[in-house]
Amino acid sequence: MKDLRCPLCRQPLLLNSLGLTCENRHQFDRSKEGYFNLLPVQNKHSREPGDAKEQLQARRQFLQAGFFDLLKKRLQTLLSPDIQTLLDIGCGEGYFTHAFAEALPQAQVYGVDIAKAGVRLAAKSAIDKNRNLFAVASSFDLPFADQSMDAVTRIYAPSKDEELWRVIKPEGLLVIVAPAENHLLGLRQRIYAEVRPHESPVVPNGFRLMASERLTDELVIKDKVLCQALLTMTPFAWKLAENVRMQLEAEGLVDQLDFGIYCYQRDN
Ligand SMILES: C[S@@+](CC[C@H](N)C(=O)[O-])C[C@H]1O[C@@H](n2cnc3c(N)ncnc32)[C@H](O)[C@@H]1O
Ligand SMILES: [Zn+2]
């Protein structure tokens, strides 16, 4: 495994019984849950960057209830069995990363997120602790070697074109999932007087768009706890008026799921 590189000196990181080490003896211990912290302090711009623990726990509860299963299954079918290395950027609590590891039983599957609470949850429930590694890291400075990844996935998370291009192999795959026009439209209409449509992502520099599709479904949540989970994990939902929030939690919610899936190939 030569996929990881030291976040401090950029030399390869090798796995030993203690954790990860580079030739300059920078050492990164493995946490008890199995993840690595590869985020240098100077890249940590707040005490707890990324999504908050409550948001990540709510996301886990919501995803495990199966509301995004359609998306999970579709993404699994987009991955060719030839993929040997895959990186999931902004992996959160690991729901999709685990699904990728399941779909690619021969591959090394990595997940990184800037939120330690997410990586901790993800690593704890990894399906294979050697083949499925999680690290706290920023998508703007990835601790991976140049051209180490056959595929990178980015589901509702930020990234930097240059870093995507650097870590993906020539002709490698990049999959981006972003909210499409009608995603949670009902909820957004309850908050904004004028709802602005989600825009499709711009083709990242150095990549070609190979295919794109919309995946839509009706979202029906009857359970109060799951309704609360959706509202906690959705970044804009804190703007809901208190009486509207209470009404939704009491009566349940009917809305639309609308995902945009974009597949790109890295240029040579
Ligand atoms: C909406 S969540 C999506 C999580 C996961 N991909 C999923 O779909 O369940 C966005 C994630 O991006 C992470 N994130 C935000 N900024 C990041 C950065 N600079 N580098 C890596 N992850 C980041 C957040 O911590 C959060 O877990
Ligand atoms: Zn080093």
Side-chain angles (χ1 to χ4, degrees):
M1 184 192 71
K2 292 204 185 82
D3 305 329
L4 288 155
R5 76 173 195 186
C6 176
L8 301 173
C9 69
R10 310 202 154 168
Q11 292 305 308
L13 278 176
L14 295 174
L15 191 61
N16 59 28
S17 57
L18 293 173
L20 292 166
T21 325
C22 72
E23 63 179 34
N24 292 320
R25 301 201 180 166
H26 297 125
Q27 167 80 36
F28 303 90
D29 296 341
R30 200 163 194 169
S31 72
K32 69 173 192 306
E33 295 88 354
Y35 69 88
F36 297 95
N37 191 342
L38 301 179
L39 184 69
V41 214
Q42 61 268 30
N43 289 1
K44 203 173 160 182
H45 301 301
S46 69
R47 206 169 69 86
E48 292 198 0
D51 281 13
K53 193 174 170 185
E54 303 70 50
Q55 260 177 303
L56 289 151
Q57 281 167 340
R59 195 164 182 88
R60 163 149 294 188
Q61 193 174 27
F62 185 81
L63 293 174
Q64 286 193 341
F67 291 109
F68 283 13
D69 269 13
L70 190 71
L71 175 62
K72 175 178 93 174
K73 295 210 170 87
R74 182 66 191 128
L75 292 176
Q76 284 177 320
T77 66
L78 293 177
L79 303 175
S80 130
D82 301 340
I83 293 173
Q84 297 292 321
T85 47
L86 179 144
L87 166 64
D88 187 25
I89 283 180
C91 64
E93 52 70 55
Y95 177 78
F96 292 103
T97 332
H98 297 150
F100 302 147
E102 192 185 280
L104 299 169
Q106 308 302 325
Q108 189 73 41
V109 174
Y110 300 93
V112 296
D113 199 288
I114 205 163
K116 195 195 275 186
V119 172
R120 183 181 285 143
L121 280 170
K124 243 177 155 172
S125 47
I127 60 173
D128 175 337
K129 303 246 183 235
N130 293 318
R131 209 169 56 72
N132 195 192
L133 285 188
F134 288 93
V136 182
S138 170
S139 49
F140 299 112
D141 186 11
L142 293 165
F144 292 90
D146 296 358
Q147 303 188 6
S148 52
M149 295 297 140
D150 290 314
V152 167
T153 50
R154 194 197 90 178
I155 306 165
Y156 284 56
S159 67
K160 181 175 164 190
D161 292 3
E162 292 87 332
E163 277 299 83
L164 294 173
W165 191 85
R166 186 183 65 74
V167 301
I168 299 178
K169 292 180 189 172
E171 301 194 355
L173 172 73
L174 168 66
V175 180
I176 294 184
V177 178
E181 204 176 328
N182 299 325
H183 192 61
L184 299 181
L185 184 63
L187 199 55
R188 288 186 292 139
Q189 280 168 340
R190 285 170 187 259
I191 296 174
Y192 305 106
E194 199 182 323
V195 177
R196 277 192 298 165
H198 288 296
E199 283 167 22
S200 319
V202 178
V203 178
N205 280 328
F207 290 85
R208 264 167 298 153
L209 181 65
M210 305 302 284
S212 68
E213 64 183 59
R214 295 265 291 273
L215 198 64
T216 56
D217 200 8
E218 193 187 28
L219 174 69
V220 181
I221 314 178
K222 294 187 180 130
D223 184 281
K224 180 174 178 179
V225 174
L226 293 172
C227 209
Q228 280 168 337
L230 175 75
L231 299 181
T232 308
M233 74 181 222
T234 304
F236 58 82
W238 64 270
K239 294 181 184 157
L240 273 175
E242 194 51 32
N243 60 329
V244 180
R245 173 184 288 270
M246 283 169 68
Q247 188 193 358
L248 284 174
E249 288 177 3
E251 294 172 6
L253 183 148
V254 178
D255 209 328
Q256 297 171 70
L257 295 177
D258 189 2
F259 305 108
I261 305 177
Y262 306 85
C263 296
Y264 306 93
Q265 187 176 43
R266 182 199 189 269
D267 292 341
N268 253 317

